[in-house]
C-alpha cells in the first residue's frame, strides 16, 4: 500500500500470491512487467489456473532469457502449445471412487490405470505435475488416468523422469508420480487407517473434528506445511 508501483514489492507480492494459489492477484501484480521473473510468475499462474495458451506465451518469453535454466518451464511450455483445445483434468464417470492402497510404509502407493495399463503410482507432494517413468514414455505428453472403476481423468499433463531408483527403494514397480496439480483437481483425500485413496469430483466437507493446517505451494507446485519441532516455539517448513 505504501509503494504500490515498486517493482520489487510487486514481484514479492506476486510470489506470495502464487504460493497461495491466488492466481488473479499474481497476474494483477505482474501486469505490464516484462522481466524474466514476471513472465515466470505469469506463466505458472496461467498454467495452474488452466489457461494453457497464455501459459505457453509467458513461459516461452521467460525461456528466451539465455541465463534461465528451467526444465519444468521448457517441458510445460511444449505441452501447452500441443494442448490447444484440450480441457485439462476433465473428469468422467462417478462422483466419487476409492482405491485400496497396498502397504508401503510411509509411502502412499496407488493402483490406477495409465492409458489403459494397470500401474502403481506414488503420491508425490514435492512435485507439481504428474511424472511418468521415462522407460515407458520418452517425452512429456497428455495422458488419461483411471482410478477404481468409476472415475477417469482425461488430458492430464505428464512429464518424464527415470523412476527406477524409486522402484528399487520401495521394492515395487512405480510407473508414475501423482503430483500436486493432479491431486488438487481430483480433490483427493487419504484414509491412512483404512488404506484408501479417495477421488472426488468436488471438494469434500471438512471432518467435524480436525485441525486445519494452512498450505503453501512452491511457485504454485510442490506442497508445503509449517510444523513445530521439539519443545521450543521455533518452527520449520516441511514437505
Amino acid at each position: 500500500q505504501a509503494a504500490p508501483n515498486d517493482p520489487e514489492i510487486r514481484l514479492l507480492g506476486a510470489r506470495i500470491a502464487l504460493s497461495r494459489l491466488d492466481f488473479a492477484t499474481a497476474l494483477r501484480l505482474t501486469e505490464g512487467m516484462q522481466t524474466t521473473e514476471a513472465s515466470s510468475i505469469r506463466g505458472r499462474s496461467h498454467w495452474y489456473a488452466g489457461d494453457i495458451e497464455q501459459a505457453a506465451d509467458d513461459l516461452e518469453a521467460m525461456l528466451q532469457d539465455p541465463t534461465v535454466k528451467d526444465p519444468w518451464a521448457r517441458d510445460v511450455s511444449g505441452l501447452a502449445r500441443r494442448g490447444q483445445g484440450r480441457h485439462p483434468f476433465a473428469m468422467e464417470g462417478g462422483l466419487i471412487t476409492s482405491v485400496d492402497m497396498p502397504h508401503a510404509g510411509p509411502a502412499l502407493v496407488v493402483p490406477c490405470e495409465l492409458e489403459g495399463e494397470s500401474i502403481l503410482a506414488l503420491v508425490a507432494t514435492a512435485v507439481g505435475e504428474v511424472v511418468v517413468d521415462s522407460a515407458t514414455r520418452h517425452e512429456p505428453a497428455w495422458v488419461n488416468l483411471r482410478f477404481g472403476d468409476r472415475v477417469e481423468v482425461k488430458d492430464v499433463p505428464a512429464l518424464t523422469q527415470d523412476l527406477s531408483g524409486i522402484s528399487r527403494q520401495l521394492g515395487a514397480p512405480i510407473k508414475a508420480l501423482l503430483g500436486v496439480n493432479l491431486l488438487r483437481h481430483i480433490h483427493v483425500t487419504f484414509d491412512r487407517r483404512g488404506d484408501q485413496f479417495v477421488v472426488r469430483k468436488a471438494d469434500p466437507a471438512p471432518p467435524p473434528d480436525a485441525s486445519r493446517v494452512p498450505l503453501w505451494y512452491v511457485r504454485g507446485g510442490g506442497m508445503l506445511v509449517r510444523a513445530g519441532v521439539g519443545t521450543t516455539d521455533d518452527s520449520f517448513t516441511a514437505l
Side-chain angles (χ1 to χ4, degrees), residues 4 17 25 55 57 76 79 90 93 129 135 144 148 152 158 161 166 181 216 227:
T25 297
D57 291 341
V76 165
L79 276 176
E129 310 301 331
N144 298 326
E152 184 171 12
Q161 179 183 321
I166 295 175
N181 199 12
W216 292 269

Side-chain angles (χ1 to χ4, degrees), residues 70-89:
D70 191 333
W72 177 93
R74 180 198 62 215
D75 291 343
V76 165
S77 64
L79 276 176
R81 281 290 177 228
R82 300 194 301 273
Q84 293 185 13
R86 293 182 180 271
H87 301 282
F89 305 103

Side-chain angles (χ1 to χ4, degrees), residues 29-230:
L29 289 172
T30 57
E31 184 177 2
M33 302 181 73
Q34 302 302 319
T35 64
T36 297
E37 185 173 1
S39 295
S40 173
I41 293 172
R42 283 197 300 270
R44 283 172 161 82
S45 296
H46 283 302
W47 174 255
Y48 289 122
D51 185 355
I52 58 178
E53 293 184 24
Q54 189 61 51
D57 291 341
D58 284 305
L59 292 176
E60 287 174 355
M62 179 194 72
L63 292 170
Q64 289 179 1
D65 184 339
T67 66
V68 170
K69 306 297 180 184
D70 191 333
W72 177 93
R74 180 198 62 215
D75 291 343
V76 165
S77 64
L79 276 176
R81 281 290 177 228
R82 300 194 301 273
Q84 293 185 13
R86 293 182 180 271
H87 301 282
F89 305 103
M91 298 179 68
E92 296 183 357
L95 297 177
I96 184 172
T97 190
S98 62
V99 180
D100 291 331
M101 296 185 295
H103 295 288
L108 296 175
V109 175
V110 182
C112 61
E113 290 185 13
L114 172 63
E115 296 292 323
E117 176 188 0
S118 295
I119 66 165
L120 292 178
L122 177 69
V123 174
T125 56
V127 298
E129 310 301 331
V130 167
V131 178
V132 297
D133 190 5
S134 57
T136 58
R137 192 173 292 272
H138 303 298
E139 61 181 15
W142 294 90
V143 301
N144 298 326
L145 292 168
R146 178 180 289 274
F147 296 95
D149 58 356
R150 301 187 63 189
V151 175
E152 184 171 12
V153 190
K154 293 183 173 292
D155 290 338
V156 177
L159 309 183
T160 60
Q161 179 183 321
D162 180 5
L163 302 182
S164 59
I166 295 175
S167 296
R168 287 193 297 271
Q169 181 180 355
L170 294 179
I174 301 299
K175 297 299 181 183
L177 305 180
L178 304 182
V180 173
N181 199 12
L182 171 72
L183 300 178
R184 288 199 299 254
H185 278 87
I186 62 177
H187 311 288
V188 164
T189 57
F190 316 121
D191 181 352
R192 290 310 305 255
R193 290 184 178 181
D195 289 323
Q196 286 189 327
F197 179 89
V198 183
V199 175
R200 297 174 172 85
K201 281 192 173 182
D203 278 328
D209 297 312
S211 298
R212 184 177 296 275
V213 179
L215 296 176
W216 292 269
Y217 299 86
V218 181
R219 294 192 291 182
M223 185 186 299
L224 294 171
V225 298
R226 187 169 292 279
V229 171

